Amino acid sequence: RFGSPLLLPSLSVLNSCRRLKLAQTSRPIIDSTVHQKKKESSEASQPASTRHRRRLSPSMAAPAPEECLDVLTAAGDKTGVSKPRSEVHRDGDYHRAVHVWIYCESTGELLLQHRADCKDSWPGQWDISSAGHISAGDSSLSSARRELQEELGIKLPVDAFELIFVFLQECVINNGTYTNNEYNDVYLVTTLTPIPLEAFTLQESEVSAVRYMHRDEYKSCLAAESGEYVPYDVNGQYGQLFSIIEERYKDNTESRSLTLQKQISRYAPIHLEPELTTLSEGDKEALGYILKASMVIDEIFYEQVWNSNTMLRDWLRAHADSSSLDSLKWAYYSINKSPW
């Protein structure tokens, strides 16, 4: 998190970046062009739809042993007991899981995965971008990163994941044989543009396809209780997903500009005129090398502040002429040399 929260624009960057919102807390944003590394296979050259991606190759890994889950109380506290996943759902034990949503800012779309037909819950239905249980002893964030990498082949840094709310799901399915009493930590990963569907490598045992869908359309399908989608009550706890996104992107350019102008007006520009007439030719040549070294040190400083700081800087500079607000953002960033 950073000091005075202000809105930064969407970042077309090659690494993870943080977005800050007016009078609200900061949030992470990750670009869709670098972190995803497609796993090459002999079948990976087959063409894929630009809006719908099916798995390219079957998994060659041997079946993993059944994972154990921490058993919780109904209030969500650990009991100190862990059990195999199948027994947890058989007995209706409370446990924890993660939901990871990938949201594309420029298109307003969420990434959905199509659950494999062999899944023991909600087979063959469209669902969250990535989800999975928190194994016994594991942390929520590490589980979110792991599930995204295992299911979709996308490895993202820690600061790409924003925990937005916790959702308790209580239901019984499969003719009463599968009880799901699950505390879900819901994470949001924000991208500027859609992660190319060709970048995903899907886990055969979990996911059969992925696609993008506008958040409003998806919300409507859930509200209509369409059988194609894993059900979530958008009028209940899970409606927070949509309300958080909608509130975040309410535009108030005039208010943001005024706030930013006040921030900038706290500084008085001072122009310095260097006096070089007394320097010898050798000193002037040496000064040139000092300046070049200083520019290298400047770049190091940007990286030390934050690993994606140079990407943020380049994006803001490139878009400074897009609007008066973008111009102010670039001006204030130039003062701070980092997110503020």
Side-chain angles (χ1 to χ4, degrees):
R1 297 186 183 277
F2 301 92
S4 303
L6 276 172
L7 178 71
L8 292 178
S10 310
L11 310 180
S12 176
V13 299
L14 300 179
N15 211 320
S16 64
C17 294
R18 286 200 177 277
R19 283 288 307 270
L20 309 178
K21 186 172 179 63
L22 175 66
Q24 294 185 9
T25 56
S26 62
R27 74 184 191 278
I29 180 171
I30 197 75
D31 182 75
S32 60
T33 57
V34 158
H35 290 292
Q36 55 276 14
K37 294 183 179 179
K38 179 180 175 182
K39 300 176 183 176
E40 297 295 331
S41 72
S42 59
E43 299 175 312
S45 59
Q46 298 176 10
S49 167
T50 59
R51 306 303 294 166
H52 190 274
R53 173 81 164 93
R54 292 196 174 275
R55 68 175 177 273
L56 296 175
S57 59
S59 172
M60 302 301 294
E66 186 174 9
E67 66 178 328
C68 287
L69 310 179
D70 287 319
V71 176
L72 310 179
T73 67
D77 300 318
K78 287 186 178 181
T79 63
V81 175
S82 63
K83 295 168 60 175
R85 177 182 180 275
S86 59
E87 295 181 16
V88 165
H89 287 290
R90 180 198 66 194
D91 301 338
D93 295 313
Y94 285 84
H95 58 284
R96 294 183 69 203
V98 292
H99 289 186
V100 181
W101 280 106
I102 295 178
Y103 177 71
C104 175
E105 188 174 79
S106 61
T107 63
E109 294 175 315
L110 291 162
L111 180 77
L112 274 67
Q113 68 159 258
H114 196 258
R115 295 172 66 85
D117 292 335
C118 60
K119 293 287 290 180
D120 57 3
S121 62
W122 315 112
Q125 292 180 290
W126 290 100
D127 199 9
I128 305 151
S129 307
S130 175
H133 293 96
I134 299 177
S135 299
D138 283 356
S139 71
S140 173
L141 182 54
S142 65
S143 299
R145 295 185 71 200
R146 182 196 68 237
E147 290 298 329
L148 190 62
Q149 184 175 4
E150 289 181 354
E151 293 186 358
L152 303 185
I154 301 297
K155 184 177 181 180
L156 300 179
V158 170
D159 63 359
F161 296 82
E162 176 191 9
L163 179 61
I164 53 176
F165 65 94
V166 178
F167 162 65
L168 174 59
Q169 185 178 33
E170 298 173 295
C171 62
V172 180
I173 58 175
N174 298 351
N175 297 319
T177 62
Y178 188 100
T179 302
N180 195 40
N181 291 324
E182 194 168 77
Y183 281 92
N184 296 287
D185 294 344
V186 182
Y187 288 89
L188 187 66
V189 173
T190 306
T191 69
L192 173 65
T193 54
I195 295 176
L197 294 171
E198 295 79 6
F200 296 107
T201 300
L202 309 184
Q203 185 179 17
E204 179 184 4
S205 61
E206 300 285 339
V207 187
S208 61
V210 290
R211 66 167 172 148
Y212 287 101
M213 188 174 191
H214 195 277
R215 65 176 191 264
D216 292 338
E217 182 183 0
Y218 176 58
K219 182 179 179 181
S220 297
C221 290
L222 292 180
E225 300 182 356
S226 170
E228 295 183 36
Y229 302 88
V230 174
Y232 296 102
D233 183 6
V234 295
N235 296 315
Q237 293 183 57
Y238 218 78
Q240 295 177 80
L241 170 68
F242 303 97
S243 61
I244 288 172
I245 293 176
E246 290 164 3
E247 182 64 28
R248 180 165 290 173
Y249 293 96
K250 283 183 178 178
D251 196 15
N252 189 352
T253 302
E254 183 178 356
S255 174
R256 292 170 183 163
S257 296
L258 289 174
T259 301
L260 201 45
Q261 286 171 346
K262 290 179 181 178
Q263 296 287 92
I264 294 174
S265 66
R266 299 180 303 169
Y267 299 89
I270 303 296
H271 185 69
L272 300 178
E273 284 288 351
E275 176 54 60
L276 305 179
T277 57
T278 60
L279 297 182
S280 67
E281 290 303 316
D283 287 340
K284 291 179 181 179
E285 183 180 4
L287 181 59
Y289 286 111
I290 292 173
L291 290 174
K292 290 180 180 179
S294 299
M295 294 172 68
V296 173
I297 293 173
D298 278 349
E299 290 299 307
I300 295 173
F301 172 79
Y302 277 107
E303 291 289 339
Q304 286 178 325
V305 171
W306 175 42
N307 70 316
S308 297
N309 201 20
T310 56
M311 308 299 179
L312 171 59
R313 176 197 62 192
D314 295 344
W315 193 97
L316 289 170
R317 180 166 51 198
H319 291 78
D321 296 331
S322 299
S323 68
S324 59
L325 178 58
D326 287 321
S327 178
L328 291 170
K329 291 171 184 174
W330 169 239
Y332 196 52
Y333 177 89
S334 299
I335 295 172
N336 287 271
K337 302 296 191 294
S338 66
W340 61 87

